[in-house]
């Protein structure tokens, strides 16, 4: 890919603002075009970003100066847009999930392989100093051989603040598919790929009431399980317990906790790029906060694209399609296990992504020596 990598964005909803902030900070990425089904939204982005033009989706896919398409459409459209971009000879980076189903995701990966283009996918939060410092602690043996992990996300439901929460409670939504990508991606980054899962799921009510915006007070039907638990068996033998709920009110549990033979590790929120990593070593008297020792410093959404741009063509990006596919299969399989009442084997595997040294990307990317 050229330097800087030229990017076109399809989908100009709320999340685009975070990517625009990142792109303004990194000389290795140059945004050239945006498109949206609502031309006014695309034009508003172009008006606020020098050198960017608002064009139609078809025009963006055909544009010679777009090397990579950033796909910020709704999950149901992820595969369709990705396949069109790949057919046009462009690499693709998408918001999570990679596609609505593993079947669609497999089509995307197969098409990209045949076309010789790269596929990346959020979340890239795992590339920040939070998860990467935790990973380095594990790799350096601070807690000994990992035995288990817990991952906990509890909220009484997004309808309390989201003005249009309908899709959270329809097939393809729910706490696992909405927030699970952050947690499962972090668990695979920390402990390696998953070989089998056991799941259970439930829901507390059939309707939710919108709590804000012009539809406040309107009822939304619940057609998914709103509380999901699962046990992930990693290839290493470690066991991760997942708790994802739109029903629970609050929790004091860490977002992620990893236990080893010689210590326990508290890992920060995988929906963020940084945060404190704490270790309690066997025989210690209290938790110790570790200094940031790995990961992209002061990173944000879009760092996965910068990482992809710097990845040789013959290597898989850290926030790559293979990892996103494996994570999607794990989540689908947890829900399948919950329906069947039996363990489900994971068919895919993935190499644990390469660790990120403590690195500052700014301008021409100044690298810091790892601690």
């Amino acid at each position: 890919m050229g330097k800087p990598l030229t990017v076109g964005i399809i989908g100009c909803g709320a999340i685009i603002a975070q990517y625009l902030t990142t792109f303004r900070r990194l000389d290795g990425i140059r945004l050239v075009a945006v498109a949206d089904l609502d031309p006014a939204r695309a034009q508003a982005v172009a008006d606020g970003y020098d050198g960017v033009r608002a064009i139609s989706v078809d025009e963006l896919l055909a544009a010679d100066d777009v090397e990579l398409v950033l796909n910020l459409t709704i999950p149901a459209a992820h595969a369709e847009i990705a396949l069109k971009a790949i057919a046009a000879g462009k690499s693709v980076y998408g918001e999570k999930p990679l596609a609505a189903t593993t079947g669609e995701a497999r089509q995307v990966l197969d098409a990209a392989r045949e076309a010789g283009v790269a596929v990346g996918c959020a979340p890239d939060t795992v590339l920040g100093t939070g998860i990467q410092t935790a990973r380095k602690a594990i790799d350096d043996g601070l807690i000994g051989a990992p035995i288990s992990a817990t991952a906990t996300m509890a909220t009484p439901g997004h309808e309390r603040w989201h003005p249009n929460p309908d899709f959270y409670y329809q097939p393809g939504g729910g706490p696992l598919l909405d927030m699970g990508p952050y947690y499962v991606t972090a668990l695979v980054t920390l402990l390696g790929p998953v070989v089998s899962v056991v799941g259970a799921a439930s829901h507390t009510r059939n309707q939710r009431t919108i709590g804000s915006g012009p539809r406040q007070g309107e009822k939304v039907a619940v057609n998914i399980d709103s509380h999901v638990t699962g046990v992930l068996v990693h290839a290493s033998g470690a066991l991760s317990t997942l708790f994802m709920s739109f029903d629970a009110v609050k929790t004091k549990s860490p977002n992620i906790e990893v236990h080893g033979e010689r210590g326990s590790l508290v890992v920060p929120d995988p929906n963020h790029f940084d945060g404190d990593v704490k270790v309690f070593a066997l025989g210690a008297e209290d938790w110790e906060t570790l200094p940031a020792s790995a990961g992209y410093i002061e990173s944000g959404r879009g760092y996965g694209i910068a990482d992809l741009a710097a990845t040789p063509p013959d290597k898989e990006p850290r926030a790559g399609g293979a990892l996103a596919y494996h994570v999607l299969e794990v989540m689908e399989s947890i829900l399948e296990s919950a329906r069947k009442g039996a363990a489900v084997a994971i068919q895919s595997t993935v190499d644990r992504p390469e660790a990120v040294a403590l690195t500052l990307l700014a301008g021409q990317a100044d690298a810091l020596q790892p601690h």
Side-chain angles (χ1 to χ4, degrees):
M1 294 181 180
K3 294 290 185 182
L5 175 68
T6 55
V7 174
I9 300 178
I10 297 178
C12 297
I15 199 169
I16 195 175
Q18 297 183 52
Y19 283 93
L20 297 179
T21 298
T22 297
F23 291 171
R24 285 189 172 97
R25 290 197 286 131
L26 298 180
D27 287 354
I29 297 173
R30 182 163 65 92
L31 181 63
V32 297
V34 292
D36 192 275
L37 290 176
D38 180 353
R41 291 208 301 187
Q43 190 60 55
V45 172
D47 289 344
Y49 201 114
D50 291 342
V52 173
R53 63 190 188 277
I55 53 181
S56 70
V57 171
D58 288 343
E59 288 171 332
L60 190 148
L61 292 171
D64 291 335
D65 62 343
V66 173
E67 295 176 281
L68 178 141
V69 171
L70 171 55
N71 184 2
L72 301 184
T73 60
I74 61 173
H78 283 184
E80 177 188 356
I81 295 298
L83 289 169
K84 287 182 177 179
I86 292 166
K90 304 184 187 308
S91 293
V92 178
Y93 185 95
E95 256 302 321
K96 53 86 181 170
L98 180 59
T101 66
T102 52
E104 290 183 350
R106 174 49 56 194
Q107 293 178 40
V108 171
L109 295 186
D110 289 347
R113 186 180 64 253
E114 293 175 8
V117 298
V119 175
C121 186
D124 51 2
T125 47
V126 293
L127 305 182
T129 54
I131 302 300
Q132 288 294 320
T133 294
R135 174 187 172 145
K136 188 174 189 303
I138 293 172
D139 291 350
D140 289 349
L142 260 63
I143 63 170
I147 299 167
S148 66
T150 58
T152 304
M153 192 286 299
T155 172
H158 293 346
E159 76 281 357
R160 300 175 73 249
W161 57 268
H162 199 294
N164 294 292
D166 309 64
F167 67 99
Y168 289 117
Y169 298 103
Q170 302 304 315
L176 180 61
L177 294 178
D178 175 45
M179 295 300 294
Y182 299 104
Y183 289 81
V184 178
T185 302
L187 290 171
V188 173
T189 298
L190 295 170
L191 300 175
V194 177
V195 295
S196 67
V197 299
V198 177
S202 64
H203 68 275
T204 56
R205 51 196 183 276
N206 296 323
Q207 288 185 327
R208 300 282 178 132
T209 303
I210 299 177
S212 65
R215 299 173 60 198
Q216 185 173 1
E218 184 179 328
K219 303 291 185 181
V220 173
V222 176
N223 294 313
I224 48 87
D225 282 319
S226 47
H227 181 97
V228 181
T229 62
V231 175
L232 285 56
V233 180
H234 295 265
S236 66
L239 303 177
S240 292
T241 303
L242 203 62
F243 175 106
M244 302 277 112
S245 183
F246 282 169
D247 294 339
V249 173
K250 200 71 173 175
T251 178
K252 292 182 70 174
S253 299
N255 296 97
I256 296 177
E257 200 168 43
V258 181
H259 303 285
E261 293 176 316
R262 296 198 302 273
S264 295
L265 199 69
V266 169
V267 182
D269 189 343
N271 193 18
H272 296 162
F273 287 83
D274 54 14
D276 288 341
V277 178
K278 297 183 179 182
V279 64
F280 198 115
L282 182 65
E285 295 184 356
D286 203 353
W287 292 93
E288 175 191 356
T289 300
L290 300 178
S293 58
Y296 289 119
I297 300 169
E298 297 179 357
S299 48
R301 294 187 193 277
Y303 266 65
I305 299 173
D307 187 85
L308 181 151
T311 301
D314 60 338
K315 291 186 65 177
E316 176 74 7
R318 289 184 176 99
L323 175 58
Y325 180 90
H326 184 67
V327 168
L328 180 58
E329 186 189 354
V330 168
M331 294 189 299
E332 272 195 359
S333 298
I334 291 171
L335 296 176
E336 180 186 352
S337 173
R339 290 191 297 269
K340 291 182 174 179
V344 173
I346 304 300
Q347 301 303 312
S348 67
T349 191
V350 66
D351 291 333
R352 194 164 168 240
E354 185 178 341
V356 181
L358 192 65
T359 304
L360 176 65
L361 292 183
Q364 294 302 314
D366 300 317
L368 300 181
Q369 293 298 318
H371 291 187

